[in-house]
Amino acid sequence: MRRAPTVLVATVIRTTGVLMFKPREVTPSVASSSSSTASQGATASKSGSTTTATGAAVSTQFGNTQVRVTIKGGKITDIEPLQIPSNEPQSVQISNGAVPTLRESALSKQSAAIDSVSGATITSKSYAASLQSALDKAGFTAADGSTAPTTAPTESGEHGHGGGFGHGGPFEG
């Protein structure tokens, strides 16, 4: 019974700390309605038969996505994520799970026209847009001529981002 007051005080202090916690506020970036293309900020360098190109950082409500692609002998050989959506802890978790799948899909298709990963629609679209930006900068054209949109994806109720189970939820990234 002597420990009860100590436990009670510790519980009150911890509860107060939790209630006073303020998550960091994120200032959303507003893209112009005329164009939010991913061609801005893209760079490329060539060394022999190897071209390395960095796609533009594609801004979404969950954070930026940016990739670097390596092309050797006319084939995409590597894609490295430089930035992934990270405005919320769940965005980081979703993006970390989706990026390896997106990379493998792009390498196998040799294109940025890749399918979205279920539950990571915004990450998928912004990854594809940054990758397409990098491929455009490198002068790479997919064998089948396919391309991905280079516009920043936005949250939309018609794409299942309204919350709830299995629909991406409010932190879909």
Side-chain angles (χ1 to χ4, degrees):
M1 280 304 215
R2 285 192 247 178
R3 290 179 37 184
T6 305
V7 170
L8 183 60
V9 169
T11 302
V12 169
I13 290 171
R14 288 185 182 135
T15 302
T16 303
V18 168
L19 293 175
M20 292 177 63
F21 175 75
K22 251 186 158 176
R24 86 184 148 114
E25 294 183 23
V26 178
T27 305
S29 65
V30 179
S32 102
S33 59
S34 61
S35 78
S36 56
T37 63
S39 61
Q40 304 160 353
T43 62
S45 64
K46 189 167 184 155
S47 174
S49 67
T50 302
T51 302
T52 303
T54 300
V58 178
S59 179
T60 73
Q61 64 267 34
F62 303 109
N64 292 340
T65 305
Q66 185 176 31
V67 301
R68 178 182 302 135
V69 65
T70 303
I71 302 165
K72 291 182 185 176
K75 291 195 171 256
I76 301 171
T77 57
D78 191 27
I79 304 165
E80 176 188 358
L82 302 178
Q83 296 183 63
I84 60 171
S86 59
N87 284 358
E88 301 289 341
Q90 190 171 2
S91 294
V92 174
Q93 183 180 13
I94 289 169
S95 296
N96 283 335
V99 166
T101 302
L102 295 168
R103 178 183 181 275
E104 289 305 315
S105 178
L107 288 173
S108 69
K109 289 186 174 189
Q110 291 292 296
S111 170
I114 52 179
D115 295 328
S116 291
V117 173
S118 179
T121 306
I122 301 297
T123 297
S124 299
K125 289 181 178 182
S126 60
Y127 184 96
S130 183
L131 178 57
Q132 186 62 56
S133 168
L135 295 174
D136 290 347
K137 199 65 169 174
F140 180 87
T141 304
D144 64 0
S146 61
T147 62
T150 56
T151 56
T154 57
E155 185 173 38
S156 167
E158 63 202 44
H159 294 295
H161 297 287
F165 294 104
H167 297 295
F171 300 112
E172 196 287 319

